[in-house]
Amino acid sequence: MSPLADDREQALWCSLDELSTSDSLKERFFREFPKEASIWAGLETEQSRREFLKLMGASFALAGIASCTKMPAEKIFPFTAEQSERLGYEKLFFASSSSFNGYAKGILVESHQGRPTKIEGNALHPASLGATDIFSQAEILSLYDPMRSKGVLHLGEISTWAAFEQQIASLSKEWQENLGEGVRILTNTVTSPTLANGLQSFLKQFARAKWHTYDVINSDFVAKGANMAFDQDLRPLYRFEQASVIVSLDADFLGPNKAQQAYARAFVERRKITNKDSMGRASFNRLYMVDSSVSLTGSCADHRIILKPSQMLGFALLLAKTLGLKNLKEPPAWTKVHQKEINAIASDLLNNMSRCIVLAGDQQPPAVHVVTHAINDYLQNHGKTVIFIAPPEANKMMQAESLKDLIKDLSEGKVSTLVMLGTNPMYASPEIFGFAKNVAKAKLKIHFGLYENETSYLCEWHLPESHFLETFGDAKAFDGTVSLIQPLIAPLNDSRSASELLAILRGDAQTSSYKLLKNYWEEQGMSKAALEKAIHDGLIENVPSPSIKVRLRENWFSQIQGLEKSDGLEISFKPDPTIWDGRYANNGWLQELPKPILQLTWDNAALLSPHTAKKLAIDDEDRIELRIKDRKVEAPALVIPGHPDDAITVYFGYGRTRATQTGINRGFDAYKLFDGESYFSKNIKIRKQNAKWELARTHVHYRMEDRQIVRRGDLKEYLKSPQSIVANQVKKSSLLKNRLDARYAWAMVIDLTSCIGCNTCTIACQAENNIPIVGKAQVQNAREMHWIRVDRYYEGKSENPKTFFQPVPCMHCETAPCEVVCPTAATNHSREGINQMVYNRCVGTRYCSNNCPYKVRRFNFLHYADSKTRNFRLMYNPSVTVRS
């Protein structure tokens, strides 16, 4: 059993409003339906219609794309084939790989008559194991986005690839003479062997050129921590399936990351009641989360401790000292506040030596990583639950240093040609680095990407990039597994892949992405048959990078710095849970997807704890000024239960100034405050403004008449009485006849022990069922169209409550209460026992919605989707009909 006592309180709640004593707030919160959902005023104005149509661009306005599709010219290899569901209809699956922050995730792409329409996980791939994440699911919308770059632009005017190739040919003569002096290439994180080979070939051909890499969310601190601990450039991998005890120091391994599916699957497998110890008793893993904000991992933890960001190192040192590690500095006095919890954690770890994991978040300072490496070494975890591999990244430079070196060369006038591949440093880099001030000093600037953006606006050339579903390629997964990418459709626009662009820069404009991939792997000794099998499977076997034995430096503790106490406010910077660093800001599905825990859409916010908000007299949606020295932004405040006191969390990814209508001018730009040296700062100042910033949140939109269908309990309760977990379930007799005589009975079971609240089911349902987005204003009116939502419940005091997730899909009830109240029999039971809708019978009474105990009925209040235009059908799943 857990060494820390559980002091849970039984009442569940969803919002701080629910705990309020205000009658007006209670009235608003406990309404069965939000009041705004019943108001039609203003919806038919010309202004609102124009705004709505702008927002819907990426959801259905597919103008500019050919109404027929073309398959890739090269042979592609279907993974599986299914029998037609209807005459003349064929569905095929193809293995490929999506990319998240540069790292591959194996996918299977569903294709209808040459049109990719849905993405699933590839069970053969170690980074997906048959599952996907929200970003992979939403790539279908990005593929068909009509706002993607359609053609070459030169000085803002429409041009051609031939014109670009002509200029490169003339420049190439100059580069050959001076060996590429002044040529710089900037990319995001690259793990692709073929692309890396193209870059290295270019650098070999032009020896004085340089390749720089930068992503805001990178592995710099992980690499520095490994170097400080082992004198080697390594990346740790964690075997959660072998760990009985896990201590996470701000590592959100269940949240969005390059290994989310693999880590979540391994972690959840050890939560199953079927796991037994050597005595045949139920054996769960145990998770201790030390959180500097709110996170999915913290929400799923057995025990959660909240700290200000600057306190994480002191906590780690006290844990190390309590475990018995020698030669450590005396931890600061303030850490003694947590001595009781640390004693319990240390005891648990010592009782599970070589069967536990201590890990630090990627954005934690290198010193925290060093301490966790030392603890794992002391606990004999290395080589068992923690292994190390060579970095999958092709460019081994520290990314922040790489970008600063480029900016230094720009400022000194050393850059003649700057080529930027798929990156947006004008926006997604710390403003204090000065890229915007110095980029104009480059004589020729070339931008290559899916969209025009803040960076392309400053460049002489903008070149359209092919979506990964339109090109061949490869990439490495988090564990080094080489993954293959194959297209399902010929490029919808006049675009190229990054490898094809590099071939142009090297003077080979006619080489296709397939030839580049084939030539590279043939040079590595791979036969044609082996390559075709790898393309078919989506990976080169299932062979990760080999593990590397490590030896801890004897004087590792001498490098620990940064233990100064902070009494003031602190701010931490994190990637946004749905649009990451801003690269997904143009994706309407992800903008409208409620952020886990926050349930916030279409915006970012400054997150504060209830205690800090009360002390500063700040309420939800208050506009506040955040200032660090001379850098400042204005942001909406959002009060979040379980957030550390005297700390603020902000997400990257918003405040875009040059994006599509979906992503532009939403939220605030946190990069203006970020210094690029640390992901938290102690120098934050807050000033409340006399204004409000309206936010669109979904957490209180639909009340289920106090039907709290989430069930929760701990292992002790389960072992004592399994039925006790559902004992408080409300039992009411039904007025309807029991349908036990039905020929069929359909059911879907959701294992709440396994649900981590990631919202992937919501975005997958949207992709599968042709569900449109509705825009921020309509979400504020409680008209979001998601057919499955993930409700979030709290239990306990607001300072640090427990969190529970409850997915609520369309229920298809056996004795559906919506059916008996419909005056037109629009909602009814099929012959197979499924609750269904006959759309052309519905007259919009909404009786069914009123009578639905789960509040999962959705109505198209406006013309959200247009099914009449032929081009719209490219993205649609033909098996699903949605009334417009």
Side-chain angles (χ1 to χ4, degrees), residues 745-771:
W746 291 78
M748 178 176 71
V749 176
I750 298 175
D751 182 355
L752 296 185
T753 305
S754 300
C755 178
I756 61 172
C758 65
N759 271 343
T760 304
C761 56
T762 303
I763 205 78
C765 179
Q766 185 157 22
E768 179 77 16
N769 294 296
N770 308 329
I771 300 172

Side-chain angles (χ1 to χ4, degrees), residues 268-285:
V268 164
E269 284 301 315
R270 287 298 304 272
R271 312 289 275 188
K272 304 287 188 183
I273 198 64
T274 52
N275 283 304
K276 307 291 183 181
D277 61 16
S278 58
M279 303 295 292
R281 297 170 299 191
S283 174
F284 280 17
N285 60 13

Side-chain angles (χ1 to χ4, degrees), residues 3 31 109 116 177 414 485 490 555 573 623 801:
R31 288 181 62 92
V109 187
E177 293 174 0
K414 295 180 179 179
I485 300 168
N555 64 337
F573 300 90
R623 185 182 291 266

Side-chain angles (χ1 to χ4, degrees), residues 165-202:
E165 292 164 9
Q166 185 177 358
Q167 180 166 4
I168 292 300
S170 62
L171 282 174
S172 184
K173 298 176 182 178
E174 179 183 333
W175 294 348
Q176 289 170 359
E177 293 174 0
N178 62 16
L179 299 180
E181 182 73 42
V183 179
R184 301 290 185 270
I185 298 176
L186 176 64
T187 68
N188 293 121
T189 301
V190 172
T191 64
S192 165
T194 300
L195 179 57
N197 179 68
L199 286 159
Q200 294 297 344
S201 297
F202 181 85

Side-chain angles (χ1 to χ4, degrees), residues 807-819:
V808 187
C810 40
M811 292 297 184
H812 293 283
C813 308
E814 280 292 314
T815 52
C818 57
E819 295 180 10

Side-chain angles (χ1 to χ4, degrees), residues 82 303 520 552 606 630 654 657 787 859:
E82 294 189 6
H303 304 288
Y520 172 76
L552 190 69
D630 60 344
Y654 284 86
T657 58
W787 289 5
F859 279 79

Side-chain angles (χ1 to χ4, degrees), residues 328-612:
L328 292 178
K329 297 178 181 178
E330 187 64 29
W334 61 260
T335 61
K336 303 297 182 181
V337 174
H338 300 286
Q339 187 68 65
K340 178 183 176 182
E341 293 96 329
I342 287 177
N343 287 341
I345 294 171
S347 175
D348 212 0
L349 289 171
L350 290 170
N351 289 332
N352 290 276
M353 292 182 67
S354 76
R355 292 181 291 111
C356 56
I357 295 173
V358 181
L359 69 160
D362 285 6
Q363 282 74 60
Q364 279 297 309
V368 179
H369 289 272
V370 174
V371 177
T372 61
H373 293 322
I375 290 175
N376 283 317
D377 182 76
Y378 182 80
L379 295 171
Q380 301 174 24
N381 292 332
H382 288 160
K384 300 180 179 73
T385 58
V386 182
I387 63 172
F388 294 88
I389 63 169
E393 303 93 339
N395 191 332
K396 305 300 189 292
M397 289 184 65
M398 296 293 106
Q399 295 196 15
E401 297 301 320
S402 182
L403 181 62
K404 286 194 284 188
D405 287 347
L406 171 61
I407 293 172
K408 183 175 182 292
D409 285 350
L410 285 167
S411 68
E412 295 174 357
K414 295 180 179 179
V415 180
S416 58
T417 301
L418 175 59
V419 182
M420 292 167 280
L421 303 182
T423 185
N424 185 13
M426 181 64 188
Y427 165 73
S429 68
E431 189 176 82
I432 197 173
F433 277 13
F435 182 87
K437 297 177 182 177
N438 294 289
V439 66
K441 297 178 182 179
K443 297 177 183 176
L444 176 63
K445 298 171 287 297
I446 301 167
H447 179 264
F448 173 78
L450 287 172
Y451 294 90
E452 297 175 55
N453 56 30
E454 291 84 349
T455 300
S456 69
Y457 181 70
L458 301 175
C459 296
E460 285 77 14
W461 288 94
H462 169 68
L463 310 171
E465 180 181 8
S466 294
H467 191 273
F468 73 86
L469 291 174
E470 300 171 327
T471 183
F472 283 92
D474 54 19
K476 290 184 179 180
F478 75 101
D479 66 347
T481 299
V482 177
S483 313
L484 274 296
I485 300 168
Q486 69 171 325
L488 274 78
I489 193 170
L492 297 170
N493 303 316
D494 188 14
S495 58
R496 302 287 190 276
S497 70
S499 293
E500 289 171 330
L501 175 59
L502 278 169
I504 293 173
L505 297 179
R506 298 194 307 269
D508 187 3
Q510 304 304 316
T511 304
S512 69
S513 62
Y514 176 76
K515 288 182 179 178
L516 291 166
L517 179 74
K518 177 174 174 289
N519 292 343
Y520 172 76
W521 286 107
E522 282 182 349
E523 291 172 4
Q524 311 309 307
M526 181 177 284
S527 67
K528 179 181 179 182
L531 178 60
E532 290 184 352
K533 182 181 186 302
I535 294 174
H536 172 274
D537 294 346
L539 71 166
I540 300 179
E541 298 183 345
N542 190 353
V543 182
S545 296
S547 60
I548 299 172
K549 290 185 178 181
V550 295
R551 183 175 181 179
L552 190 69
R553 289 177 54 174
E554 292 184 0
N555 64 337
W556 65 268
F557 48 83
S558 65
Q559 305 179 73
I560 305 302
Q561 297 177 351
L563 288 168
E564 300 82 8
K565 185 179 180 182
S566 169
D567 293 322
L569 282 170
E570 297 180 10
I571 185 171
S572 60
F573 300 90
K574 297 183 180 293
D576 188 85
T578 58
I579 66 167
W580 198 241
D581 58 3
R583 69 185 66 190
Y584 298 104
N586 294 321
N587 192 296
W589 288 354
L590 293 174
Q591 285 278 14
E592 196 153 294
L593 181 69
K595 302 183 198 306
I597 305 173
L598 308 184
Q599 305 293 292
L600 176 66
T601 68
W602 291 101
D603 266 309
N604 57 347
L607 311 184
L608 303 91
S609 72
H611 179 268
T612 302

